[in-house]
Amino acid sequence: MKRATWILSCLGMLAFSADAMSVSPEQERLKRVQAVQKKYPDIKFEDYVYGALAFSADAKEQYDNMMAFPPFESEIDKGRALWETPFRNGRHYADCFPGGGKNVAGNYPYYDETMKKVVTFEMALNQCRTKNGEAAYKSSDMNSMGLLTAYARTLSDGMLMNVKVKGDGALAAFESGRRFFYQRRGQLNFSCASCHVGHVGEILRTEYLSMLPGQATHWPAFRGGDYALFTLQRRYSACNQLVRAVPMEIGGEEYNNLEYFHSYLSNGLPLKASVFRK
Amino acid sequence: MEKPVAIVTAASLSLLLAATFMSAARAAAPGPEPSGQELAFDNRKGNCLACHAMPGDPKAVTSTNIAPPLVGMAARFPDRSKLYGQIWDATRTNPDTAMPPFGKNGILTDAEINKVVDYVYGL
Amino acid sequence: MNSRRIAIGLLVWGGLVMGTAGQGALAAEGDSRPALSAEAAEALARAESSVAQATARKALWTTATSALAQAQEAARKADNAAVMEYAAVASEQASRGMAQLDSPLTNQQH
């Protein structure tokens, strides 16, 4: 009788501590993916990368036609020139990454145990610059970092998102990003999740709301009629302003942690950079 | 001898009046107040069309399907204060709601909410 | 016998002086040091402090920022009424933004 009580109380304590801990990254990801699969069983998992386009065959067709001859091709070419131009010391961006920079973007962001912080792909591009005697680009400058990453990321097109979260530091950064996603902000009182978890596939005025899994795979995006270049974090900034919250710094800790969480939630989905979006 | 005094009195009075009018003129002249419908449609104010269809109003152009359509509201909200409360802060009835707290967060004034309530009851 | 005329004269001149003094106060907008009332200056300082706090806590709303900017613009013109109005909005929106930090995370079920 005493032994049974002891076993039961141990099980009880385990259950209690499981509730007290945050859900693990993989549990969170599966929960969100399964929720979309349940609500929209006809949309294939790999099509989550199309976001709002996955809900309208017409919109997807327009997108496909646009992407056959992208009007912003010349911008990507500018990025290519930036990528291929050697540094003053004669070395290249390709020397900083395995495989000459091919199929690397899906490994970002990662948590750097030495620096004790999240490192995004754009930060890695800047690390390459400074390591080779060049000044870092401003992460928020679409004319330098924007164009560079618009080309550099295309070298990883087709690679599956493969973000890792291991160890206490990484878990804390992931949790910080997760909390940002689910926290209400701005005068309009929306969290990112209010729409992108709570109302996936529904229409806000005239636009479909995209699902959280898949969102982080398709950046930078060239948006709207004037094909303005948006990195993912520039999009975070714009979304925050839409709900009347003063945005965080592009390249700062909050958005880096958010990108870490956000990208993990797209694990297993194929990347495609420099695409059109409304 | 009284004429110059009268002239000076008139002159000083008119100066005083002019001073008063000038300070009054600095206050903003109020334009026509927006109607409840205008407040509901305006995407800087209520922006109700973002989430609520209004089948009863042919001017209400929206494709949304997020929130319940605004129709037959008198039957659904016989108590005006409940409808007012929903617009003022919908998180009180649903903590997870996507509806902004128009009153609590100062998005709409009390007068504006009342106009929107009147408009919505008419749908 | 002249005292009545003197009294009227004094009243008239007093009125003239008040009128021109009023004009002078309006003209003071162009002076280098416009006169902001103590009450308005205090309201502006409180608003600036609230907005700074909300900024530090990463909880600032754009509505707080723009109301503060309008209050500061009104202060430059010594428009006390406008300063009071906009400063109140800025303080209120800033504290609402900070209170929002305590709201529960959304969509935590299922």
Side-chain angles (χ1 to χ4, degrees), chain B residues 89-103:
Chain B
D89 180 7
T91 65
R92 290 183 300 190
T93 52
N94 175 12
D96 238 13
T97 188
M99 183 162 169
F102 292 95

Side-chain angles (χ1 to χ4, degrees), chain A residues 200-240:
Chain A
V200 168
E202 293 171 25
I203 300 171
L204 180 67
R205 204 133 189 170
T206 55
E207 301 307 314
Y208 284 100
L209 292 167
S210 56
M211 60 288 270
L212 160 58
Q215 281 184 326
T217 61
H218 55 80
W219 301 90
F222 289 85
R223 303 198 70 223
D226 56 356
Y227 313 111
L229 202 172
F230 275 74
T231 56
L232 178 55
Q233 291 197 8
R234 186 183 175 196
R235 189 65 181 113
Y236 291 161
S237 177
C239 285
N240 281 170

